[in-house]
Amino acid sequence: MFSGPIKTFQRKWRSYRHRFVPWVVFNLSKNEKTLRQVTERSEDSLISAEQITQSLLKFFAVLLKGHGELRASTERDGQLLGQDAMLQTLGFYIDRRPSTLPFAGTGVFVSNGVIPKGTVVAMYPGTVYQPYDPILLQSIRNPFIFRCIDGVLIDGSDKGMSKMVFKSCSGRDRLGPLLTSDTSWLTGSPRNPLAVGQYVNNCSNTKPANVCYQEYDVPDKFPIELWQILPNVNFSQDTRRPLRCVVLVSFRDIAEGEELFSNYYTIVH
């Protein structure tokens, strides 16, 4: 009689519990191998912001040139252009497949090439919310809310209300014919193949992390014509701080065929 409602509650709880602070605190010690611990906030960065900027500029420039020279007739064509640009500039490309972890759903894998240590591997796409922005409705049954150290939130869901909010904010912020963010990550064939970071699964006791999250504020010098490839947009139009992005950086060399795993929790002592 009650099996149906109980199963529904359990399914929703598994989705929500990682954002329920008492549950997180209580369970931290049970899986210490899945935690990343740093002694200072500055140590949370594996590479400098300038290195991230240069890596993105190099890749985005080639990606934009490719799309300009060859107009993709289908989403799949655009995806192939992105993979070629990624392989040409970064030496590898990634894509989504069923995860090797049981019941983990979709994962992200190195499909071609080798990723050196200290490389920008992926980006966490989504709408950026300041600590004072309303996000309650968007967060319901949404496991893709990423919380930065300073309380900024990024909604990486590509479905439902989250999808509508991102597309609305992206259209709002365009400068005439020039887009200032990329909405293709909301589809199955993102124009920017880096924009799949929300599908990188948490590591486990048997599958250690090989990438970590690093917060990155887009600098003023970032060329305006390349903003159209950024998979992030501010929820509030009057936000006075730089656009927050989150990239995933490799801990070590990652071989072709490996799945990417991150630490969902970083503890700053």
Side-chain angles (χ1 to χ4, degrees):
M1 178 178 179
F2 297 103
S3 61
I6 290 175
K7 289 181 179 179
T8 300
F9 173 79
Q10 289 175 334
R11 185 174 64 254
K12 292 181 178 180
W13 170 246
R14 284 194 294 268
S15 172
Y16 174 76
R17 62 188 180 183
H18 297 287
R19 290 184 284 122
F20 185 59
V21 175
W23 182 90
V24 172
V25 173
F26 181 76
N27 285 274
L28 283 178
S29 60
K30 295 183 179 181
N31 294 285
E32 292 190 0
K33 290 184 179 180
T34 66
L35 301 177
R36 180 168 178 249
Q37 303 189 42
V38 296
T39 56
E40 296 180 8
R41 181 173 174 178
S42 60
E43 294 182 6
D44 189 42
S45 300
L46 286 184
I47 59 178
S48 68
E50 181 61 25
Q51 287 175 288
I52 296 174
T53 298
Q54 293 305 316
S55 179
L56 295 182
L57 288 178
K58 181 181 178 182
F59 172 56
F60 284 8
V62 173
L63 184 61
L64 185 63
K65 181 180 179 182
H67 279 274
E69 293 178 348
L70 179 62
R71 290 293 178 183
S73 58
T74 66
E75 287 184 353
R76 179 59 180 168
D77 290 338
Q79 186 179 30
L80 292 175
L81 283 173
Q83 291 177 352
D84 289 342
M86 196 171 182
L87 195 59
Q88 177 184 340
T89 57
L90 303 178
F92 65 91
Y93 70 80
I94 57 176
D95 66 1
R96 290 174 283 187
R97 304 180 208 159
S99 176
T100 56
L101 290 176
F103 311 109
T106 301
V108 179
F109 293 77
V110 183
S111 298
N112 198 325
V114 175
I115 301 177
K117 178 182 178 180
T119 299
V120 174
V121 177
M123 302 183 71
Y124 199 100
T127 306
V128 180
Y129 292 82
Q130 301 304 316
Y132 50 79
D133 287 330
I135 194 176
L136 175 61
L137 294 179
Q138 299 92 309
S139 70
I140 296 174
R141 299 183 64 183
N142 183 354
F144 294 104
I145 304 292
F146 182 96
R147 187 183 189 279
C148 298
I149 292 177
D150 59 1
V152 171
L153 302 173
I154 301 180
D155 180 4
S157 174
D158 54 13
K159 297 178 176 61
M161 182 179 292
S162 299
K163 180 177 182 177
M164 291 188 292
V165 169
F166 188 94
K167 294 181 73 173
S168 176
C169 293
S170 178
R172 175 201 67 197
D173 291 348
R174 67 184 301 160
L175 301 174
L178 190 63
L179 295 172
T180 56
S181 58
D182 176 32
T183 60
S184 69
W185 70 271
L186 297 166
T187 71
S189 302
R191 177 189 186 190
N192 174 4
L194 288 176
V196 293
Q198 78 276 36
Y199 285 104
V200 173
N201 282 307
N202 191 30
C203 62
S204 68
N205 290 328
T206 58
K207 301 278 189 178
N210 48 25
V211 298
C212 70
Y213 300 102
Q214 183 167 328
E215 298 169 19
Y216 168 70
D217 290 336
V218 180
D220 293 336
K221 67 178 182 179
F222 206 87
I224 190 65
E225 67 272 14
L226 297 182
W227 277 67
Q228 60 185 292
I229 306 176
L230 289 171
N232 298 98
V233 65
N234 281 315
F235 176 78
S236 296
Q237 189 174 22
D238 58 352
T239 300
R240 299 184 180 277
R241 61 190 303 174
L243 177 67
R244 172 64 53 80
C245 294
V246 170
V247 300
L248 286 88
V249 180
S250 54
F251 269 134
R252 58 169 175 81
D253 293 351
I254 306 174
E256 182 175 321
E258 282 194 69
E259 183 174 0
L260 303 183
F261 293 105
S262 63
N263 298 98
Y264 278 7
Y265 305 108
T266 298
I267 299 178
V268 181
H269 294 283

